[in-house]
Amino acid sequence: MSKDIRIKKGLNINLVGAAEHETSKAVLSNVYSINLHDFHGVTPKLLVKQGAEVKAGEPLFFDKNQEGVKFVSPVSGELVEVVRGERRRILSLKILADKTQEFMAHKPLNLEGASPQDVKTFLLNGGVWPFVRQRPYDIIADAEVTPKGVFISGYVTAPLAADLDYVLQGKEKELQAAITALGKLTSGKVHVSVGKSSNSPLAGLKGIELHKMSGPHPAGLVGTLINRIDPINKGEVVWTIAPQDLVIIGELLLTGKFNAERTIALAGSSVKAPKYYTTKIGTEISTFLYASGVNNENIRVINGDVLTGSQTKPDGHLGYYNNTVSVIPEGDDYEFFGWNKPVFDKISSTRALTFSWMFPNKKYDLTTNTNGEHRAFVLTGKYEEVFPLDIYPLQLLKACMIGDLDEMEQLGLYEVAPEDFSLTEFICISKQPHQQIIREGLDLLYKEIG
């Protein structure tokens, strides 16, 4: 039996350019890249040298902090470059793909007779453990800790994000295998959320606690689900996994192969024909970006959705955890007296000079312009109107900025991730980088206490 959860606080950001329910196969990329920026807190140790031939699913490096956590190649080919930064820090690995792909084979796991240790060992050796993330700290899960629950959000509310009900169709076997395996690794339940009126393949899975969500963004974020079902206290750990990553985990369990294939949404007002593409983790974005065409040259390509994604270049590579690429106009223009005239083409949480509240279903063509400059926090009380978690957002942000560990703990930092503050950052009239502040606060807390 499912449980209904209705979120009242939040703000839907309706943008032009949502991906049509049409899927094409992207052109095969020549070079695939694994960006170390995607794995926050990981200290890599290479297992192969530059110039070596690797198979798809073969380990490239492991984490020095957790030597059992291996990171594998999404394709077979030659490791042509190890990009390094200051003090020879590894930034990314680039693989020149073979025309004919070869996979590193593992023996499929018999889930019925497998013990929790068997499942954990299989996931670690198969290279899919990096998909399992934990809270607190929003990092790759500690394999030695048993979580009190696993949380998976299949309800999408982020602007222009991939429709999970659509991309997960036909993947029921893989999803069920992954859920069964994860259920053996937690002392609690596997909590899954779907839209109240959706037709999600996740809803029919066995071994889950189903929750039907409704309400504006950020109702679809996994942090909102955790807060409403089982908030995190000091000393507790929960795991979170993205639904498309469940498919990769499930396929490994059923076939023994690491298949990095992913269906991504190419969306945004700057795309002529926004739709879905089947591609692989680490592919060159240009392999599908220009196939759909762009409306102008002055664009910003975002790896992820417009609220939580990172800026990249058209010749950049798809992020390890991303299933959306957003393309919107670059906002490098100045609007003369923009603060002193009525506005009809922008979204705002206030009713001062803007009229978006009168048209709740209108879709907007927004640019990256912040319409203001960085300044000290202004007390408006607006954060609380769009922040559904039982946490004081402004007080927590200030505690992170001054590094007050006691206040950070008491105000609920253990429970949040940077993405939970993406909406407060969007509406912030002070233009403060909320997600960066929370990330730095989490890093400090992990260093001092974690």
Side-chain angles (χ1 to χ4, degrees):
M1 182 177 178
S2 63
K3 298 180 181 179
D4 291 351
I5 302 174
R6 182 185 178 190
I7 304 300
K8 296 182 179 180
K9 294 183 178 181
L11 177 67
N12 282 328
I13 303 173
N14 300 317
L15 300 182
V16 174
E20 299 290 337
H21 284 185
E22 175 188 348
T23 304
S24 298
K25 192 172 183 63
V27 176
L28 294 177
S29 178
N30 292 320
V31 178
Y32 291 78
S33 177
I34 300 297
N35 191 340
L36 272 296
H37 178 74
D38 292 334
F39 312 115
H40 190 81
V42 168
T43 304
K45 176 67 176 179
L46 287 177
L47 293 170
V48 294
K49 295 182 180 180
Q50 184 169 318
E53 294 287 336
V54 296
K55 295 180 179 180
E58 182 174 342
L60 299 174
F61 61 94
F62 65 86
D63 183 8
K64 288 183 179 179
N65 302 317
Q66 291 192 78
E67 295 188 2
V69 179
K70 300 179 178 67
F71 299 79
V72 301
S73 175
V75 294
S76 66
E78 179 187 354
L79 179 60
V80 291
E81 186 179 4
V82 179
V83 181
R84 295 181 183 269
E86 295 180 358
R87 302 177 67 179
R88 293 187 55 76
R89 177 187 177 189
I90 299 174
L91 301 179
S92 64
L93 305 177
K94 294 186 177 181
I95 301 137
L96 181 63
D98 294 332
K99 292 184 178 180
T100 302
Q101 290 293 297
E102 295 184 28
F103 291 85
M104 187 173 181
H106 299 270
K107 184 179 179 180
L109 186 65
N110 179 14
L111 285 171
E112 290 186 5
S115 67
Q117 187 58 46
D118 292 335
V119 172
K120 186 180 295 184
T121 301
F122 185 85
L123 298 182
L124 287 166
N125 292 335
V128 294
W129 194 266
F131 293 123
V132 184
R133 302 183 67 81
Q134 76 166 47
R135 295 195 186 189
Y137 309 123
D138 189 36
I139 56 177
I140 293 173
D142 186 345
E144 301 301 321
V145 176
T146 300
K148 70 169 184 175
V150 178
F151 291 82
I152 300 157
S153 176
Y155 181 45
V156 178
T157 55
L160 302 180
D163 182 355
L164 294 177
D165 293 355
Y166 174 71
V167 301
L168 295 179
Q169 292 296 330
K171 302 294 183 181
E172 288 82 0
K173 289 184 179 180
E174 292 85 353
L175 292 169
Q176 184 62 69
I179 290 293
T180 302
L182 291 169
K184 293 176 177 285
L185 301 181
T186 175
S187 59
K189 299 178 180 179
V190 178
H191 299 274
V192 176
S193 68
V194 298
K196 187 175 181 179
S197 58
S198 71
N199 185 28
S200 174
L202 292 167
L205 301 180
K206 299 178 181 178
I208 65 171
E209 182 88 4
L210 184 64
H211 308 278
K212 293 189 176 181
M213 304 284 288
S214 61
H217 187 65
L221 294 183
V222 71
T224 306
L225 177 65
I226 295 170
N227 182 267
R228 290 303 171 96
I229 300 300
D230 194 4
I232 305 170
N233 298 312
K234 184 176 182 179
E236 296 178 335
V237 171
V238 301
W239 289 352
T240 66
I241 307 171
Q244 280 213 67
D245 297 339
L246 287 175
V247 175
I248 298 177
I249 294 173
E251 188 164 350
L252 177 70
L253 290 164
L254 295 173
T255 67
K257 294 182 180 180
F258 180 90
N259 184 3
E261 188 174 275
R262 178 164 289 171
T263 301
I264 63 99
L266 176 65
S269 60
S270 290
V271 181
K272 289 183 178 179
K275 62 179 180 178
Y276 291 83
Y277 285 91
T278 301
T279 185
K280 290 190 176 184
I281 293 171
T283 186
E284 294 171 294
I285 291 175
S286 59
T287 57
F288 53 83
L289 173 62
Y290 295 113
S292 285
V294 291
N295 293 322
N296 52 64
E297 295 181 357
N298 194 23
I299 59 175
R300 179 175 296 188
V301 181
I302 302 170
N303 229 327
D305 66 71
V306 294
L307 294 181
T308 63
S310 58
Q311 182 178 356
T312 187
K313 297 180 180 178
D315 59 352
H317 295 263
L318 181 67
Y320 196 82
Y321 298 102
N322 293 337
N323 62 4
T324 303
V325 173
S326 309
V327 189
I328 60 176
E330 187 67 71
D332 53 5
D333 59 316
Y334 177 75
E335 189 173 353
F336 188 64
F337 281 118
W339 53 270
N340 196 29
K341 61 181 181 181
V343 178
F344 293 90
D345 58 351
K346 292 183 177 66
I347 298 174
S348 176
S349 61
T350 73
R351 298 189 178 187
L353 296 178
T354 60
F355 295 89
S356 59
W357 59 273
M358 298 178 63
F359 310 100
N361 297 320
K362 179 181 177 179
K363 292 187 176 181
Y364 296 84
D365 183 4
L366 301 184
T367 70
T368 61
N369 199 323
T370 59
N371 301 300
E373 59 185 7
H374 183 277
R375 62 181 71 89
F377 273 115
V378 178
L379 300 179
T380 62
K382 288 298 177 181
Y383 300 156
E384 289 76 9
E385 293 181 6
V386 300
F387 194 75
L389 278 62
D390 188 19
I391 289 172
Y392 294 111
L394 180 58
Q395 287 81 350
L396 180 55
L397 287 165
K398 289 185 174 181
C400 291
M401 293 178 75
I402 63 175
D404 189 328
L405 296 176
D406 290 338
E407 285 291 318
M408 289 154 65
E409 283 188 308
Q410 295 172 16
L411 289 168
L413 186 62
Y414 287 119
E415 190 173 335
V416 301
E419 67 175 13
D420 295 317
F421 283 78
S422 60
L423 193 54
T424 61
E425 182 175 321
F426 174 78
I427 69 164
C428 182
I429 64 173
S430 302
K431 315 303 175 185
Q432 291 279 354
H434 293 202
Q435 295 180 78
Q436 178 184 334
I437 293 170
I438 294 298
R439 180 71 267 171
E440 292 173 354
L442 289 168
D443 291 344
L444 178 62
L445 195 64
Y446 183 66
K447 178 182 178 181
E448 299 294 337
I449 298 177

